[in-house]
Amino acid sequence: MKIKMRLKGRLRTYLRFTIYLGALLCAIDVAAFFLNKTAAIMLIGFTIIYFAVTLILYFVNKPLIMNELVSFATEYGQIQKRLLRELELPYALLDEEGRVMWTNKAFENTVHQPKGYNKSITTLFPTITLDRLPDGDTIEETECELEYENRDYTAKFRKISLKEMADHSNIIDAKGYDGYLIACFLFDETALHIALQEVDDQSLCVGMIYLDNYDEAMESVEEVRQSLLVAVLDRKVNKYVASVDGICKKLEKDKFLVILRKKAAIQLQEEKFELLDEIKHVSIGNEMAVTASIGLGIDGLSYAQDYEFARNAIDLALGRGGDQAVIKTPSGVTYYGGKSQQVEKNTRVKARVKAHALREIISAKESVLIMGHSRPDADSFGSTVGIYCMARELQRKAYIVLEGMNNDVQALVDCFKAIPGNDDVIINHQQAIDMAGSNTALVVVDVNKPSITECPELIHLAKTVVVLDHHRAGSEVIENATLSYVEPFASSVCEMISEILQYVQDNVKIRGEEADCMYAGIMVDTNNFLSKTGVRTFEAAAFLRRCGADVTRVRKMFRSAAEEYKAKADAVSQAEIYRNSYAISVCTSEDIPYPPVVGAQAANELLNIMGIRASFVLTEYQGKIYVSARSIDEVNVQLIMERMGGGGHMNIAACQLEGVSLIVAIGEVKRTIDAMIDSGEL
């Protein structure tokens, strides 16, 4: 496009000033005629000569001045161009389409391209797409981060309007042109990123190491060797921390405080916390292997917050059964280990302490609300009945929150309601919300995830919350609990509450039907006393039998309908044996009120097949895929289900999948198993 150029502004006024002055002389000549004609004629002659000389000088000097201006602008532009060419900051000019028009030496040296590279910027940096460049309408500046030849850059782009540049010029006038160019700057931030990474690597990380079963291990070794076992354990822990330049301080006989750099913590994380296995292999004549739990707090805003993260992490590790490491950061929680079954505690000291604390809490309130998890099972409902009995013994009003239930607990609910005076004990969600207040205690049983409780709103409304559970804790927990009693080694919450009831007060009275409900909870969660049973499990069952629990009556409550029995048998018969060790099957949901329960029963049956390490039964119900996972002792199915968004116990776990078909869900189970086998977690 040809651009028409002419002078404007002050320079044009300066050059035309003599012409304007001549016009003023003409006006003076006219006035002089009225005063003196002779003087006026002389002034006219002078004016004519003045105009002649002025016009000659104007038309002769104007081209010279224009040439000088162009020459000066050219030299000035050359100086600017030279400065830009030699500028140490990589700089380039792009057209509207992102094509490189001009580059300086630093840019050419950076991208290793010669002068005159006339291609799109995308060919040099694939990260820079056209949508990241300024457009011609609203976006004036943009920037993006990119990596080129192992160096980090920040690319900034700025729109240069040619029309605006011409409008602000005092010399050149360019009309009818509204295009623009794009200036590209590359800022090398590699050194900055390295420095920031180094600062981050050197930041403080607080950790805690607990020996889970210290007392039990000491009791299993001869007294003369106990000091040697302590020395070996201490040396293992101190040597492990010292290997990464950490500081380890023993707080108690089985507790250590650890200070590390974040870089060291990441190293331990990459090595999958080898201390967990090293501790278990310590053998100084002890019959019981020692296990350890590790909690790390990283990336807190202060040292105090890192310490708080570490405390939360170690609590999670212990709540999940120990023998694992937990890392807590502001963004989430990560778990490592947790493959071994937690050993049952022989002492009941903790149960007695928790019983006294619970008695004090209930005695201080006027009423008690009790709830389990949504879609309660026998253990959930049986444990609510146990807490109800406790509150009644303490002469406090108690209510069980229950709105929806499965058919398999309907018999238990009917049995409980048949007791005289229990008609109004079971209430719905709205009634519970209306009762919640400062003089009401909320007891949550058989669940520690607030999102899957019977009525999650109650947790926020109640001022006093008690949690009793036997599931391994996850990242989502009830945080405002006044009292929390979580024992993953317990077979069921009914077992835990049976122990607590014996310490609340002497000669506690439980009706036979109520004892049936609690006995049923233990029986279901232990698969008829076949899994997760210990001495305390049978002691709890014996206590309930003394209270009037009838085994025959309980067994009749759990007889299956013919359709459910056929569906379970069909799931077992069609099971696929994956990788010679894992049974995977599907439970049909036709004519079954709540098929996930039948799927869980089928998963238990599949464990009776020789060579099966774990079983998975999938059931489609109300738009979701329910996965029930079971194992005996070789595989931690909780870790598998946690990978898929669920959780549970080491031997009993489950998850729910939404928006997928059964075929896709089966594939997801297989992919998870493959990934964990490849990584050594199974």
Side-chain angles (χ1 to χ4, degrees):
M1 178 181 292
K2 185 177 180 180
I3 301 176
K4 184 179 179 181
M5 297 175 55
R6 63 176 183 267
L7 297 176
K8 66 176 185 177
R10 294 182 180 180
L11 183 59
R12 183 176 63 179
T13 303
Y14 176 77
L15 292 177
R16 294 183 178 181
F17 178 74
T18 54
I19 299 176
Y20 300 150
L21 188 59
L24 180 61
L25 288 175
C26 291
I28 294 174
D29 287 345
V30 175
F33 269 106
F34 297 99
L35 298 176
N36 189 328
K37 292 184 178 180
T38 305
I41 293 171
M42 294 177 62
L43 188 57
I44 289 173
F46 173 76
T47 302
I48 293 172
I49 296 172
Y50 176 80
F51 262 107
V53 174
T54 299
L55 291 174
I56 292 172
L57 291 175
Y58 178 79
F59 287 106
V60 171
N61 289 338
K62 181 180 178 181
L64 297 176
I65 293 174
M66 292 296 294
N67 290 335
E68 288 295 327
L69 289 174
V70 171
S71 177
F72 173 77
T74 302
E75 293 178 3
Y76 185 74
Q78 290 295 328
I79 294 173
Q80 283 188 320
K81 183 177 179 181
R82 180 179 177 183
L83 291 175
L84 285 175
R85 280 285 298 170
E86 297 178 356
L87 185 66
E88 295 184 2
L89 175 68
Y91 174 82
L93 279 176
L94 316 178
D95 63 12
E96 301 173 13
E97 302 298 328
R99 186 180 296 275
V100 179
M101 299 178 59
W102 182 89
T103 58
N104 67 355
K105 292 181 180 179
F107 191 93
E108 294 163 6
N109 294 333
T110 299
V111 300
H112 306 297
Q113 293 293 339
K115 182 179 179 181
Y117 185 82
N118 191 26
K119 296 182 180 179
S120 174
I121 191 71
T122 305
T123 61
L124 294 174
F125 309 109
T127 307
I128 304 176
T129 54
L130 294 181
D131 59 335
R132 294 196 171 192
L133 300 178
D135 59 25
D137 299 324
T138 57
I139 303 178
E140 299 287 336
E141 294 185 10
T142 61
E143 67 176 64
C144 67
E145 295 183 355
L146 56 94
E147 182 179 349
Y148 186 77
E149 294 185 348
N150 297 324
R151 300 193 69 83
D152 299 326
Y153 294 92
T154 295
K156 293 188 177 182
F157 303 95
R158 184 176 302 164
K159 187 175 73 172
I160 303 174
S161 174
L162 297 179
K163 181 178 182 301
E164 182 180 348
M165 186 170 56
D167 291 341
H168 287 81
S169 174
N170 291 326
I171 300 176
I172 299 175
D173 183 16
K175 293 183 177 180
Y177 187 73
D178 57 356
Y180 65 91
L181 299 177
I182 299 174
C184 172
F185 304 88
L186 292 182
F187 297 91
D188 190 346
E189 297 186 346
T190 306
L192 175 61
H193 288 176
I194 292 175
L196 292 175
Q197 184 63 48
E198 185 65 22
V199 171
D200 187 55
D201 289 342
Q202 298 297 328
S203 61
L204 175 69
C205 167
V206 181
M208 292 184 175
I209 300 176
Y210 285 8
L211 302 179
D212 303 325
N213 54 342
Y214 180 87
D215 292 329
E216 289 78 3
M218 288 300 165
E219 292 176 0
S220 69
V221 70
E222 298 178 9
E223 186 174 352
V224 294
R225 295 191 176 186
Q226 288 182 356
S227 57
L228 179 59
L229 179 59
V230 172
V232 172
L233 293 174
D234 289 354
R235 184 175 182 275
K236 285 282 185 184
V237 174
N238 283 280
K239 185 178 179 181
Y240 182 73
V241 177
S243 65
V244 289
D245 275 344
I247 300 174
C248 182
K249 176 66 177 178
K250 189 172 185 178
L251 302 178
E252 299 179 26
K253 59 183 180 181
D254 57 349
K255 296 178 176 63
F256 300 84
L257 176 67
V258 176
I259 305 297
L260 302 169
R261 294 175 299 169
K262 182 180 177 180
K263 184 177 181 180
I266 294 175
Q267 179 183 341
L268 299 181
Q269 184 179 358
E270 292 173 349
E271 296 172 353
K272 303 292 181 65
F273 295 96
E274 295 176 350
L275 179 66
L276 299 177
D277 291 328
E278 292 179 7
I279 289 290
K280 282 189 289 189
H281 288 95
V282 173
S283 178
I284 311 295
N286 49 303
E287 298 177 1
M288 179 180 295
V290 183
T291 61
S293 295
I294 302 174
L296 293 178
I298 302 177
D299 290 338
L301 298 177
S302 63
Y303 296 157
Q305 190 174 42
D306 279 331
Y307 177 70
E308 189 63 28
F309 283 172
R311 287 177 57 87
N312 295 337
I314 198 68
D315 288 342
L316 280 174
L318 296 174
R320 290 165 56 85
D323 187 30
Q324 57 194 285
V326 178
I327 298 177
K328 182 172 177 59
T329 64
S331 58
V333 180
T334 309
Y335 304 98
Y336 295 89
K339 299 180 182 180
S340 62
Q341 181 74 40
Q342 188 174 13
V343 180
E344 181 185 37
K345 306 289 184 180
N346 294 324
T347 175
R348 289 190 179 185
V349 175
K350 189 174 183 180
R352 186 178 71 249
V353 172
K354 298 294 184 181
H356 291 169
L358 183 57
R359 182 180 62 189
E360 294 297 326
I361 291 173
I362 293 178
S363 300
K365 302 297 179 181
E366 293 181 357
S367 59
V368 181
L369 296 175
I370 315 161
M371 71 174 179
H373 53 76
S374 59
R375 291 283 183 180
D377 55 11
D379 186 36
S380 179
F381 180 74
S383 54
T384 61
V385 172
I387 297 297
Y388 168 77
C389 296
M390 182 188 302
R392 185 185 62 205
E393 289 295 310
L394 297 175
Q395 300 180 355
R396 293 294 181 269
K397 295 180 180 179
Y399 301 92
I400 297 175
V401 184
L402 182 62
E403 193 163 292
M405 69 185 78
N406 306 325
N407 287 344
D408 58 328
V409 298
Q410 185 64 56
L412 295 177
V413 175
D414 294 339
C415 178
F416 176 76
K417 285 184 175 180
I419 302 174
N422 286 357
D423 295 337
D424 59 346
V425 172
I426 297 179
I427 60 176
N428 58 33
H429 294 179
Q430 189 57 50
Q431 290 174 310
I433 292 173
D434 295 339
M435 291 182 182
S438 57
N439 280 324
T440 302
L442 173 65
V443 181
V444 181
V445 295
D446 200 32
V447 61
N448 55 50
K449 293 180 67 174
S451 61
I452 60 174
T453 55
E454 178 69 35
C455 183
E457 294 85 353
L458 282 178
I459 298 175
H460 304 288
L461 295 174
K463 302 297 182 182
T464 303
V465 180
V466 177
V467 178
L468 302 173
D469 192 21
H470 70 124
H471 295 99
R472 288 156 62 120
S475 56
E476 182 190 359
V477 295
I478 299 175
E479 297 181 350
N480 61 331
T482 306
L483 175 65
S484 180
Y485 184 24
V486 180
E487 290 289 7
F489 68 81
S491 68
S492 59
V493 183
C494 287
E495 174 191 322
M496 297 168 58
I497 295 177
S498 297
E499 291 181 347
I500 291 175
L501 281 170
Q502 300 175 57
Y503 295 111
V504 170
Q505 62 182 28
D506 296 333
N507 300 321
V508 62
K509 296 180 180 179
I510 303 177
R511 298 183 177 96
E513 293 82 356
E514 295 167 341
D516 286 346
C517 294
M518 298 183 66
Y519 189 90
I522 297 177
M523 190 178 73
V524 170
D525 269 25
T526 59
N527 191 19
N528 293 320
F529 297 94
L530 291 177
S531 63
K532 290 200 69 178
T533 53
V535 174
R536 292 169 65 172
T537 307
F538 290 105
E539 289 177 350
F543 165 73
L544 295 174
R545 288 282 287 125
R546 290 194 297 271
C547 292
D550 190 328
V551 179
T552 302
R553 192 165 55 214
V554 171
R555 181 180 178 184
K556 287 182 178 180
M557 291 181 187
F558 289 100
R559 287 188 294 183
S560 302
E563 294 79 7
E564 295 179 352
Y565 198 87
K566 290 178 181 179
K568 180 170 63 175
D570 184 61
V572 173
S573 64
Q574 297 185 19
E576 173 192 357
I577 309 303
Y578 184 66
R579 299 190 71 149
N580 299 323
S581 301
Y582 303 93
I584 303 175
S585 186
V586 174
C587 179
T588 57
S589 57
E590 297 178 1
D591 303 325
I592 301 176
Y594 190 63
V597 172
V598 181
Q601 295 172 353
N604 284 327
E605 291 294 331
L606 287 170
L607 292 178
N608 293 326
I609 301 175
M610 186 177 296
I612 296 301
R613 302 176 63 197
S615 61
F616 305 87
V617 177
L618 293 82
T619 307
E620 187 173 6
Y621 180 66
Q622 293 183 349
K624 296 181 181 179
I625 304 297
Y626 291 78
V627 184
S628 296
R630 298 291 186 270
S631 68
I632 296 179
D633 59 352
E634 295 179 272
V635 175
N636 188 342
V637 291
Q638 183 204 12
L639 297 179
I640 300 176
M641 291 296 97
E642 282 183 342
R643 282 279 191 98
M644 299 178 63
H649 292 288
M650 178 179 177
N651 306 123
I652 302 174
C655 73
Q656 298 177 13
L657 303 176
E658 295 187 38
V660 298
S661 63
L662 276 171
I663 296 177
V664 174
I666 292 174
E668 184 64 25
V669 172
K670 292 180 178 179
R671 282 192 295 272
T672 304
I673 293 173
D674 292 339
M676 296 186 70
I677 291 176
D678 294 340
S679 63
E681 296 180 68
L682 290 181

